[in-house]
C-alpha cells in the first residue's frame, strides 16, 4: 500500500443461508387401525445448508382425552443416526425416521410433530 491506504477499497458480498429441513412425504397420514395395533410410516428428513454437525431432536405432542387423561400415542425412532453432517460434495446426508401411533383408546388427531436442531431451528 506504500503508506497510502486510502486508494484501496475492498467490497465483500455474500449470501447467508439458514439451515432448514424438508420432509418426504411433506405430510403424514397414518391409516386407522384397531385398538392397541401400531400404525407406522417411514419418512425421509432432507437437511439443507447445514455447515456443521447438528443433532435432530423431536417434540412429540401429548394428547388429552375426553376424560382428562393424558397420553403419548406417538413415537419416533431413528433406525440409524439422527445427526446431520456435511458430506464431501457439500450436501447434507438424508435421515430416515419411523413415526408410529398406538392407542388403547379410540381417538383421532390432527397436529404437529416438531423436529428441532441443536440451535432450536
Amino acid at each position: 500500500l506504500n503508506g497510502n491506504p486510502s486508494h484501496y477499497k475492498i467490497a465483500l458480498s455474500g449470501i447467508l443461508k439458514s439451515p432448514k429441513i424438508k420432509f418426504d412425504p411433506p405430510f403424514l397420514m397414518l391409516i386407522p387401525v384397531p385398538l392397541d395395533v401400531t400404525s407406522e410410516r417411514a419418512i425421509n428428513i432432507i437437511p439443507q445448508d447445514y455447515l456443521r454437525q447438528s443433532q435432530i431432536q423431536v417434540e412429540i405432542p401429548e394428547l388429552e382425552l375426553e376424560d382428562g387423561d393424558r397420553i403419548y400415542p406417538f413415537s419416533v425412532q431413528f433406525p440409524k443416526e439422527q445427526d446431520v453432517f456435511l458430506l464431501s460434495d457439500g450436501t447434507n446426508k438424508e435421515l430416515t425416521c419411523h413415526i408410529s401411533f398406538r392407542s388403547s383408546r379410540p381417538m383421532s388427531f390432527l397436529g404437529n410433530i416438531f423436529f428441532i436442531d441443536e440451535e432450536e431451528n
Side-chain angles (χ1 to χ4, degrees):
L1 298 176
N2 294 332
N4 195 353
S6 62
H7 293 301
Y8 298 95
K9 293 183 181 180
I10 297 174
L12 299 175
S13 65
I15 298 172
L16 175 63
K17 293 183 178 183
S18 296
K20 57 184 169 272
I21 55 177
K22 292 185 178 183
F23 299 92
D24 182 29
F27 298 97
L28 179 65
M29 183 180 294
L30 298 171
I31 61 169
V33 293
L35 297 178
D36 282 325
V37 173
T38 301
S39 180
E40 182 177 355
R41 175 80 191 263
I43 64 169
N44 291 318
I45 299 172
I46 307 162
Q48 296 177 328
D49 301 323
Y50 279 85
L51 300 178
R52 61 178 182 220
Q53 185 171 335
S54 186
Q55 187 174 73
I56 301 295
Q57 302 296 323
V58 183
E59 288 184 4
I60 301 172
E62 175 186 58
L63 304 181
E64 184 174 349
L65 303 175
E66 291 178 3
D67 64 1
D69 285 350
R70 295 181 176 275
I71 62 170
Y72 289 91
F74 291 97
S75 67
V76 176
Q77 300 290 325
F78 289 84
K80 294 182 181 176
E81 69 274 342
Q82 63 192 77
D83 290 333
V84 175
F85 54 89
L86 195 62
L87 297 173
S88 60
D89 66 356
T91 62
N92 297 120
K93 184 176 182 193
E94 290 186 13
L95 305 174
T96 299
C97 77
H98 295 266
I99 298 176
S100 61
F101 174 88
R102 181 183 178 119
S103 177
S104 60
R105 311 262 299 268
M107 67 167 29
S108 63
F109 171 76
L110 174 64
N112 297 309
I113 296 175
F114 292 98
F115 292 80
I116 302 166
D117 66 18
E118 291 174 350
E119 295 180 7
E120 297 186 7
N121 294 312

